[in-house]
Amino acid sequence: MKKLFILLAAFAVGSSLYAQETYENAKLMNGDLNGTAKYVGMGGAMDALGADITTMSTNPAGMGLFRHSMASLSFGFVSQNGGNTNAGGNKTNMSFDQAGFVYSKRTRSNSFLNIGFNYRKSKNFDYLLNAAGALNNASQNKLSYQKLRNGYLYEVNGAGNIDLKHPYVTCNQLDAVFTNSLFTAAGDGNYYYYPANEYLLDRTHEGYIGEYAFNISGNIKDRVYLGLTVGLHDVNYRHFGLYTEYFDANPENIQGLTVADDREISGTGVDMKFGIIVRPVETSPFRFGFSVATPTFYDLTTSNYTTISDGTTTIPTQEAYDFRLNTPWKFNFSLGHTIGKYVALGAGWEIADYSAADTRVNDGGFYNWYWDEYDESSYSDREMNRHTEQTLKCVHTLKLGMEVKPTDNLSLRAGYNYVSPMYKKSGYKDGTLESEGSYYSSATDYTNWESTNRFTCGIGYNIGKLSMDLAYQYSTTQGQLTPFMSYYDDVDPAENNVADAVKVKNDRHQLLFTLGYHF
């Protein structure tokens, strides 16, 4: 145990630069289909149709189609199919999803200038993840053993003290605990590990990303619509997980180990969006739209408290640090058309290359003597960004929607989304990168999620200036979870440490209600 404390102290002194890891970053970059019930009910395919408050976050020009001021409030429930609550959490949670207004001012006979604000929950993290599988003599601690054996961690010098092996630490927090509390050096100088036969993983994810959008928009002669949105993003994420490995028979009679991992990520981000909608033919309601969103520039803090227990002894490890993340640019193309006053059709295509995300290291900054203030600075983590490029890919989102109005007061809606996979099938969480993002990781599992399909429907009813809208959304995604990266020994196949991926899924139901008032 003395070696453990010496090692952790060495890490605390030697590690002053911080970054984050690809799979943790990916959770923050993609968003949900959420907003008003009308927007959700039409599958989000309103970026060219406009006149919905949610469009200020997708195509800001859509706000230019408002002819009256209005305010709206949205809330509902999100429920998960399957999943257990062994690690806490609930399958069904109430959610406050949207609140905003737009003030519309006529500037000429057929031109308007609109100003709006909207809060939207762009990401809901509530999710229970459960997985189990065979290990066939592989184990999480065997991976740490192999990293030690192949020189990725550190070395013990002739005096029995620990020296860092690399200028960048290539182990994670679990490696440090495993190496010093489990492995024992026999008389031959070798290290040993505990193989396992199966594992069980339970994790609860909670929290949200809230977007506060400020929009200005307008139109030119009711033919060209322009919009600009500035977005502020509030990140509140937490997960708590229990990962247990059940060991094969061993001389120490250790039945297994449980890793309890509690991690939080919080912080803020800012971005800008520009949009345009054009109605090319004066006598036709058909229109097309285009918008572009800058990267969201995140300034974040993450912290964890993690323990490893064999049932009798519990060893803790914990860290906290700041880092930065720049998400990729997003481009949105859309079409919209109305038939009389009774049918509206919308389609959209969004593209974002997540492999281009920029994980950044805070280098401590400098004191600005001229302005008498402390300026933070950062630089790209090239090693982690290279891993992101090899793991994530360009994502395409297709949005289709339709609204039918049997009467002036009643609206029926339906929509569909297809979101292509963000992760490459060959992607994995690499714990040997010469990046601080690897060291500060406290979990070795990763999930390569596949495509997402969303099916929506909704109904709306107007009573004078009051509007009431209800939407239902079913979202389904499957993925492949692996408890730790694989290791293959070219010399001795018996030293291979491979855990097969198991299927997991995220099936979610959302019921959303919006109350609006036009004035």
Side-chain angles (χ1 to χ4, degrees), residues 331 333 348-354 393-399 416-423 450-454:
F331 302 91
F333 305 86
W349 173 45
E350 183 181 275
I351 182 171
D353 185 4
Y354 290 101
K393 57 183 180 179
C394 189
V395 172
H396 302 265
T397 302
L398 173 67
K399 299 186 285 187
Y416 170 72
N417 277 190
Y418 171 79
V419 185
S420 66
M422 175 190 286
Y423 302 87
E450 300 170 1
S451 59
T452 298
N453 289 276
R454 300 168 178 151

Side-chain angles (χ1 to χ4, degrees), residues 55-70:
T55 60
M56 74 170 67
S57 295
T58 54
N59 184 349
M63 299 294 291
L65 281 92
F66 273 99
R67 296 293 176 267
H68 301 281
S69 301
M70 79 161 297

